[in-house]
Amino acid sequence: MRALILNGEELDGITLEQFSKTISKELQANDFEVEEILLKEKEIADCLGCFDCWVKTPGICIIDDYGREAAARLINSDLLVFLTPVVFGSYSYQLKKALDRMIPLISPYFKKVKGEIHHKKRYPKYPSLLAIGIIEETNEQTSRIFKNLVERNSINFHSPHFQTEVFAETDLDYQELKDTVNQFSKKAGEKNDN
Amino acid sequence: MTIKRAVLLIGSPKGNNSSSASLGSYLLSKLEKYDIETEALHLHSEIRTDAKQTLFLEKVEEADLIILAAPLYVDTLPAKVIKALSLIADQRKKLYVDDIKSAKNQSFAVIVNCGFPEAEQNKTALKVYQEFAREAKLKYLGGIAVGMGGAVSGKAFSEMGGMAKDLIEGLDQAADDIVRNHYLSNTVIEKTSKPLISQKWLYTLVGNLNWRFQAFKNGVYRKINDQPYKGERLND
């Protein structure tokens, strides 16, 4: 099984290296082949909002940069980790520049999910999603927004399983992070074909 | 605080050919009738270089009111909007630390639109915008959530006929509220979140047909469901 860590560390923000190493080690211990993309080192242009990836070059973004490769790697993984500083309750620019380019992985066609309209799957299988948000200090409000956002993403990215945890830099418990990754790895390793 | 100057930040990469530009420009035109000086800035070009970012922040700082009009991308703000708002928040925080007296009272209102029929799908993004306002120490005047953005798609409201009636009335009321620096009234929220096309099934049917038509025009009708990355083995 493959796991992909999308590291959304900012250019001038805190380093997430230690988090990434801990997550990676725990995933490996659970038999995952792990790959990490440090997004700030990759050339990924902003999405143009053109929808050509649906109606001109179906399934492939028209921008020929690392965004295409990131999409290919994401869809061929079983477990996806978003590792990001929490920015206003949302993702960092570095993570979001990549996520905005993942639209080619879903279908343009609409379908109803629990009474709401979303897009159909393009692929038969999508990875489970574990989101780890890092904030400077504990903040219930931003943590709630972040968790809500990941839940919404899990619908639109057709994640069979998802989990969100927010850790405060000032009060960091690596054991809790390890436990989270360990438990989610086991869950994601189960039948992953929703 | 009297609002004398308003700046509209357009967060769509599609520039003037976007629903964000249509919605934001309409609201701005209404504010101009109250003798408010206005300026519209396209975020994607305004923060491209360091030099441009400095100018952008100066323009934002001059305004009493910041209006942001942006699409919903992957359930939240488009990447570029996160970047622009981070710049603004950092600048404001710095001002408050360095020289609190020079930190100006500013207000912030937002219009979010999504391609899904349900305006409620913008709810998470609105919470993010509110949090931005809190962190940047801006007075939050509220957020307008619009669904079925695909039906607007850069059009002027005059071209949309009766379909845009509620939306227009809602935005007119929003201008009235904003001019008084008041939080957006319930009428604004209700009117602007009403579906532009009353039947959801009709919107999705037309939407699905439109994707097929565009793919046909581009000669890829049979490829629309392709899975180009299926089973691809990628090496480092």
Side-chain angles (χ1 to χ4, degrees), chain B residues 48-67:
Chain B
R48 205 168 277 161
T49 62
D50 287 350
K52 281 191 151 198
Q53 283 177 15
T54 310
L55 278 175
F56 165 74
L57 289 172
E58 280 171 12
K59 287 179 195 168
V60 170
E61 215 180 309
E62 282 168 14
D64 305 300
L65 167 71
I66 303 162
I67 300 170

Side-chain angles (χ1 to χ4, degrees), chain A residues 128-177:
Chain A
S128 286
L129 172 61
L130 172 64
I132 304 292
I134 310 297
I135 51 177
E136 280 178 25
E137 45 193 58
T138 309
N139 182 322
E140 286 296 323
Q141 170 72 3
T142 46
S143 298
R144 217 173 15 246
I145 301 171
F146 186 76
K147 287 182 179 179
N148 190 242
L149 170 60
V150 177
E151 186 178 353
R152 300 294 301 171
N153 278 179
S154 75
I155 302 170
N156 287 318
F157 282 135
H158 306 281
S159 320
H161 303 287
F162 78 95
Q163 190 174 334
T164 319
E165 294 299 336
V166 177
F167 293 94
E169 254 184 285
T170 46
D171 183 24
L172 190 58
D173 182 351
Y174 277 104
Q175 191 53 47
E176 205 182 322
L177 175 63

Side-chain angles (χ1 to χ4, degrees), chain A residues 6 16 26 45 48 56 63 75 78 82 85 91 109 112 117 126 135 139 145 158 161 179 192:
Chain A
L6 292 181
L16 302 181
E26 219 46 45
L48 298 171
K56 208 168 189 174
I63 307 170
I75 199 62
D78 303 285
F82 290 170
Y91 304 130
Y109 296 131
K112 216 178 238 183
I117 301 299
Y126 288 78
I135 51 177
N139 182 322
I145 301 171
H158 306 281
H161 303 287
D179 292 344
N192 200 5

Side-chain angles (χ1 to χ4, degrees), chain A residues 2 33 46 49 55 58 73 76 90 93 96 100 108-110 115-117 122-123 142 148 152-153 156, chain B residues 73-77 79-80 116 118 121 124 200 208 211 218 220 223-224 226-227 229 231 233 235:
Chain A
R2 290 188 220 173
E33 193 182 308
D46 292 308
V55 297
R73 288 176 190 271
N76 285 294
S90 186
Y93 168 73
K96 194 65 193 341
D100 287 350
Y109 296 131
F110 294 119
E116 253 183 16
I117 301 299
R122 177 179 294 278
Y123 290 89
T142 46
N148 190 242
R152 300 294 301 171
N153 278 179
N156 287 318
Chain B
Y73 275 13
V74 195
D75 301 301
T76 182
L77 289 52
K80 203 62 145 205
F116 295 120
E118 304 92 358
Q121 295 213 34
T124 310
K200 212 195 270 191
N208 283 339
W211 298 128
N218 292 324
V220 293
K223 290 173 173 284
I224 199 163
D226 272 9
Q227 299 170 3
Y229 302 132
R233 186 74 210 178
N235 300 314

